[in-house]
Amino acid sequence: MGKVTIKDVAREAGVSISTVSNALNDVDVLNPETKSHVLEVAKRLNYVPNLNGKLLKSGTTKMLGFFTTSVAGPYFYTLVESMSRECDRLGYGLNVFVTTDKQIIMSNILGGRVDGVVIFEELRIDDQDIAAMEKNKVKAVFLDRVIRSEGMGSVIFDSYEAGYEATRYLISLGHRKIAYISGVDTMFDSVQRKEGYLAALREAQFPVDEDYILQGYFEEEGSYNAVKSFIHNHPGKLPDAFLAGNDLSAIGCIRALKSLGYDVPNDISVVGFDDIDIAQYFSPPLTTVRNQIARQGMLVVNHLVRMIQNKEQGKVEKLAGELIVRGSSHIKLSRPS
Amino acid sequence: MGKVTIKDVAREAGVSISTVSNALNDVDVLNPETKSHVLEVAKRLNYVPNLNGKLLKSGTTKMLGFFTTSVAGPYFYTLVESMSRECDRLGYGLNVFVTTDKQIIMSNILGGRVDGVVIFEELRIDDQDIAAMEKNKVKAVFLDRVIRSEGMGSVIFDSYEAGYEATRYLISLGHRKIAYISGVDTMFDSVQRKEGYLAALREAQFPVDEDYILQGYFEEEGSYNAVKSFIHNHPGKLPDAFLAGNDLSAIGCIRALKSLGYDVPNDISVVGFDDIDIAQYFSPPLTTVRNQIARQGMLVVNHLVRMIQNKEQGKVEKLAGELIVRGSSHIKLSRPS
DNA sequence: CATTGTGCTGAAAACGTTTTTATGCTAATT
DNA sequence: AATTAGCATAAAAACGTTTTCAGCACAATG
């Protein structure tokens, strides 16, 4: 009553195991009668090939791995959803590993359990790991991180451009004192958005005041606290607008402003990034730069599969954001004095 | 420059492959010097064991599989997040398969790539599949679906109880004409909620009017349309309250009511299920029955691992919901006539 | 009639591990 | 001195497949 193997099928059908294998894998060399007989027996015995044996021999898994620290939140699920859809379309399975354990990550990446991997940048895979991956000829595509290696590709959201455009938009509304609520400084996205913001300020020849750069850690709570304490500690430096590192930060920011009696957008404009699904339900609905997450997921899988199948080289693909104007931003009114 | 195998390490270190294996797996039988020498060589060669070979032999993977049709939305990501956290804690990896391809599903479940599986009920695994799983002694836990088989367990949200409690709550507010917006009739949850609703009505000795049961398909759009056309087609049968099959349906319902000029909750109360994160941000904030998703994820993994490690039998674990009262429900006021 | 080709099937090797068993050596026991 | 015990290592079997190659029967060719 243990697992039924190819041997059992062979014995039961009165043929050799190679014949069974050929029948199951549609190798066109068998007598049709033999083949159908074998298939019939296999079905009757409820035979399912053991994948480990299969893979060990063939070396290919038709599986892609996605390694990430988390799947929580709209960004991730949209990404995973679109990646798996594209995988399905291309005849691959998607395998999501949610872990921070470096050991597990590397042994799965290098251990030959998947044909290629997608790696989310926050997993800080270091140069040594990358060297090991190169040595083993692992096909990899990084999300939001640029790797200079021919075996590896990247698909990144152009956060610099997004930060730049969002800031220019706020300037076009007449705002001058624009504060930035930063995310996590070790993350590529966060840094790039800030750089874009700074570039737009410089271009408009506005002074850059370091005080106007707050730390919100990409979280609602962090942003809420940062805004409150900033306004408390810097009376007379009230900004015209806040550019928040992501939508959650924007929500935290708006809540803080409301709690202090300010009106968004009439007193102060707030703009976020990502366009998570809460954005449109929030009150006021959020103006934000949409990150085309689904498209990113599709591209990343597509690129990886091309690398695997056509031996294509890895390259860097950039994705532009899209400004979605909603209710949280408003043209600057001169205050009734 | 191909992959480096245990043989390469053995040759390089001048020992046999069994010695290498023993050194790597901490089998306490080797001369410490030999062991450290082997480890040193392995490290130098960047050796990583091939998982397929390893699994083929040992038969255990320390991996759990989660099979689902989708990971989109707050329900799923909360679930996956909590499952992977619990897996980490117990020394397992979690492997998420997002697919609807029955072939892929069954070959992965039965193919020995994971030690146990969690199956989301919407994948309609039929009796034949289950028989095959039983035959192969697959350890499985189903989410929101009850399987009567000793090898398999279930962790379910007690939707019947939730439907019952929510309805009683609405009755306690003074509502009499309570409509139900049904989900998908093939889903266990959906049916159970409706049964609970009906039971509460019967208990209160209210007449059950089939007209009051709409089809919203668990979607915002579906619910929106259902409510609009119901009110249009049944003048004079305006309900006091709507019990929606899930929060998205509740949101669709409220939008429909608003668009027709009704006020929620003053004219009509609306209650949903799940407490997705949008619920508290919506206006009005949703009264809903919270599904303790994170706890469900934890329990399901825990149960599965106990089944694997302690040969425990599968059983059915029920999780109670929790009524969260917010702004979308209100005590019934007699209309000014 | 002897050779060559063809169509089908079986035997055996291979994939990379772990695990069981065998071997050679030294030290301890009789 | 001969057996035994114990230790460290090597050899070989096993896991479940796929794939390569050999073999056999029979038909086709010269």
Side-chain angles (χ1 to χ4, degrees):
Chain A
M1 195 49 53
K3 314 253 179 195
V4 25
T5 77
I6 200 172
K7 278 185 200 158
D8 301 318
V9 178
R11 181 165 8 87
E12 185 74 13
V15 298
S16 72
I17 61 171
S18 16
T19 299
V20 176
S21 178
N22 286 331
L24 292 168
N25 295 299
D26 256 342
V27 178
D28 201 10
V29 63
L30 292 185
N31 181 320
E33 280 177 32
T34 319
K35 177 169 166 180
S36 66
H37 173 230
V38 169
L39 290 181
E40 190 259 315
V41 171
K43 181 151 201 173
R44 181 154 54 77
L45 296 185
N46 271 115
Y47 170 69
V48 179
N50 177 300
L51 289 176
N52 297 318
K54 195 165 186 158
L55 302 183
L56 175 55
K57 184 60 192 166
S58 71
T60 175
T61 70
K62 283 289 185 179
M63 277 277 163
L64 265 33
F66 173 50
F67 293 82
T68 178
T69 52
S70 160
V71 291
Y75 173 81
F76 282 112
Y77 75 68
T78 309
L79 189 68
V80 172
E81 189 77 5
S82 68
M83 288 199 303
S84 44
R85 228 172 279 287
E86 186 71 1
C87 279
D88 247 25
R89 200 177 70 79
L90 298 173
Y92 281 78
L94 182 67
N95 227 278
V96 182
F97 292 83
V98 186
T99 178
T100 55
D101 186 331
K102 202 74 165 295
Q103 183 78 20
I104 290 182
I105 296 171
M106 291 312 289
S107 83
N108 275 288
I109 290 184
L110 301 177
R113 263 231 276 236
V114 288
D115 291 352
V117 299
V118 176
I119 298 175
F120 180 63
E121 80 107 14
E122 210 187 339
L123 287 169
R124 302 232 61 113
I125 304 289
D126 59 34
D127 289 351
Q128 197 185 342
D129 300 323
I130 291 186
M133 289 167 64
E134 280 173 345
K135 195 158 188 171
N136 288 40
K137 302 212 178 304
V138 172
K139 305 290 181 187
V141 176
F142 286 78
L143 275 171
D144 290 334
R145 173 171 177 190
V146 179
I147 301 289
R148 62 263 137 243
S149 158
E150 64 173 52
M152 312 194 179
S154 299
V155 176
I156 66 174
F157 174 58
D158 196 341
S159 278
Y160 175 88
E161 190 68 18
Y164 174 77
E165 289 299 343
T167 310
R168 275 175 47 107
Y169 163 72
L170 284 171
I171 292 173
S172 79
L173 293 181
H175 301 306
R176 308 254 120 187
K177 291 181 289 182
I178 303 172
Y180 180 74
I181 304 173
S182 179
V184 181
D185 276 347
T186 54
M187 287 177 70
F188 186 73
D189 266 0
S190 178
V191 174
Q192 290 290 97
R193 285 169 195 181
K194 184 160 73 183
E195 291 301 324
Y197 154 81
L198 293 172
L201 291 189
R202 278 194 297 268
E203 188 189 78
Q205 306 197 317
F206 287 4
V208 172
D209 184 341
E210 284 291 336
D211 280 354
Y212 280 140
I213 300 185
L214 322 189
Q215 291 287 337
Y217 307 104
F218 277 164
E219 283 166 6
E220 182 178 334
E221 180 95 5
S223 171
Y224 180 91
N225 295 333
V227 169
K228 269 210 154 171
S229 75
F230 171 81
I231 291 180
H232 183 259
N233 294 331
H234 299 80
K237 289 189 91 169
L238 187 71
D240 302 329
F242 282 91
L243 179 60
N246 66 0
D247 286 342
L248 285 180
S249 307
I251 288 176
C253 170
I254 292 175
R255 289 211 159 140
L257 293 175
K258 274 188 192 165
S259 81
L260 294 170
Y262 297 102
D263 181 78
V264 176
N266 291 320
D267 297 335
I268 301 176
S269 289
V270 177
V271 170
F273 290 92
D274 291 346
D275 194 26
I276 62 179
D277 55 7
I278 301 171
Q280 57 169 312
Y281 293 97
F282 196 68
S283 160
L286 244 53
T287 293
T288 185
V289 183
R290 175 181 293 164
N291 184 342
Q292 304 179 40
I293 306 169
R295 196 167 145 65
Q296 191 178 21
M298 205 204 74
L299 277 181
V300 79
V301 167
N302 213 275
H303 187 19
L304 184 55
V305 170
R306 287 202 317 271
M307 285 168 62
I308 294 169
Q309 293 182 340
N310 315 340
K311 313 278 179 207
E312 230 176 76
Q313 287 219 342
K315 60 188 175 192
V316 177
E317 304 191 2
K318 281 192 182 182
L319 235 67
E322 181 187 357
L323 183 71
I324 309 283
V325 177
R326 296 206 187 89
S328 68
S329 57
H330 193 284
I331 205 161
K332 183 172 166 74
L333 306 170
S334 25
R335 296 269 170 69
S337 57
Chain B
M1 195 49 53
K3 313 254 177 192
V4 24
T5 75
I6 199 172
K7 279 185 198 158
D8 301 317
V9 178
R11 181 166 3 88
E12 185 74 12
V15 298
S16 73
I17 60 171
S18 17
T19 300
V20 177
S21 177
N22 285 332
L24 292 168
N25 295 297
D26 256 341
V27 178
D28 201 11
V29 62
L30 293 184
N31 182 321
E33 281 176 32
T34 320
K35 177 170 167 181
S36 66
H37 173 232
V38 169
L39 290 180
E40 190 259 315
V41 171
K43 182 153 203 174
R44 181 155 53 78
L45 296 185
N46 270 115
Y47 169 71
V48 179
N50 177 299
L51 289 177
N52 297 319
K54 196 163 184 157
L55 300 185
L56 175 55
K57 185 58 193 169
S58 71
T60 176
T61 69
K62 281 287 182 181
M63 278 278 164
L64 265 31
F66 173 48
F67 293 82
T68 178
T69 52
S70 160
V71 291
Y75 175 81
F76 282 112
Y77 76 67
T78 308
L79 190 67
V80 173
E81 189 76 7
S82 68
M83 286 198 305
S84 44
R85 225 171 279 289
E86 186 69 1
C87 278
D88 247 25
R89 201 176 69 80
L90 298 174
Y92 281 78
L94 182 67
N95 226 278
V96 182
F97 292 82
V98 185
T99 178
T100 56
D101 186 330
K102 200 74 165 292
Q103 184 79 19
I104 291 182
I105 296 171
M106 290 312 289
S107 83
N108 275 289
I109 290 184
L110 301 178
R113 265 232 274 236
V114 289
D115 291 352
V117 300
V118 176
I119 298 175
F120 180 65
E121 80 108 11
E122 211 188 337
L123 289 168
R124 302 231 61 113
I125 305 288
D126 58 34
D127 289 351
Q128 197 184 341
D129 300 324
I130 291 186
M133 290 168 63
E134 279 173 345
K135 195 157 189 175
N136 288 39
K137 301 214 179 304
V138 171
K139 304 289 181 186
V141 176
F142 285 78
L143 276 171
D144 290 335
R145 174 170 175 192
V146 178
I147 301 288
R148 62 261 138 249
S149 157
E150 65 175 50
M152 313 195 177
S154 300
V155 177
I156 67 175
F157 174 58
D158 196 340
S159 278
Y160 175 87
E161 191 67 19
Y164 174 78
E165 288 299 342
T167 308
R168 275 175 46 106
Y169 163 71
L170 285 170
I171 291 172
S172 79
L173 293 181
H175 301 306
R176 308 251 122 187
K177 291 181 289 180
I178 303 172
Y180 180 73
I181 305 174
S182 180
V184 180
D185 276 348
T186 54
M187 288 178 70
F188 185 74
D189 267 359
S190 179
V191 173
Q192 290 291 97
R193 284 170 196 181
K194 185 160 73 182
E195 291 300 324
Y197 154 80
L198 292 173
L201 290 188
R202 277 194 298 268
E203 189 190 78
Q205 305 197 319
F206 288 4
V208 172
D209 184 340
E210 283 290 336
D211 281 352
Y212 279 140
I213 300 185
L214 322 189
Q215 290 288 337
Y217 307 104
F218 277 163
E219 284 168 4
E220 183 179 334
E221 181 94 5
S223 171
Y224 181 91
N225 294 333
V227 169
K228 268 208 154 170
S229 76
F230 171 81
I231 292 182
H232 183 261
N233 294 331
H234 300 79
K237 291 189 90 169
L238 186 71
D240 303 328
F242 281 91
L243 179 61
N246 66 359
D247 286 343
L248 286 179
S249 307
I251 287 176
C253 170
I254 293 175
R255 288 210 158 138
L257 294 175
K258 274 187 192 164
S259 81
L260 294 171
Y262 296 103
D263 181 77
V264 175
N266 291 319
D267 296 335
I268 301 177
S269 289
V270 177
V271 171
F273 289 92
D274 291 348
D275 194 27
I276 64 178
D277 55 6
I278 299 170
Q280 58 171 311
Y281 294 96
F282 195 68
S283 161
L286 244 52
T287 293
T288 185
V289 183
R290 175 180 291 163
N291 185 343
Q292 304 179 43
I293 307 170
R295 196 168 146 67
Q296 192 177 20
M298 203 204 74
L299 277 182
V300 79
V301 167
N302 212 276
H303 187 17
L304 185 54
V305 170
R306 285 202 317 272
M307 284 167 61
I308 295 169
Q309 294 183 340
N310 313 339
K311 313 278 179 208
E312 229 175 75
Q313 287 220 342
K315 59 188 176 193
V316 176
E317 304 192 1
K318 281 192 183 183
L319 234 65
E322 180 186 358
L323 183 71
I324 309 282
V325 176
R326 296 205 187 90
S328 68
S329 58
H330 193 283
I331 204 162
K332 181 167 169 75
L333 306 170
S334 23
R335 295 267 168 72
S337 57

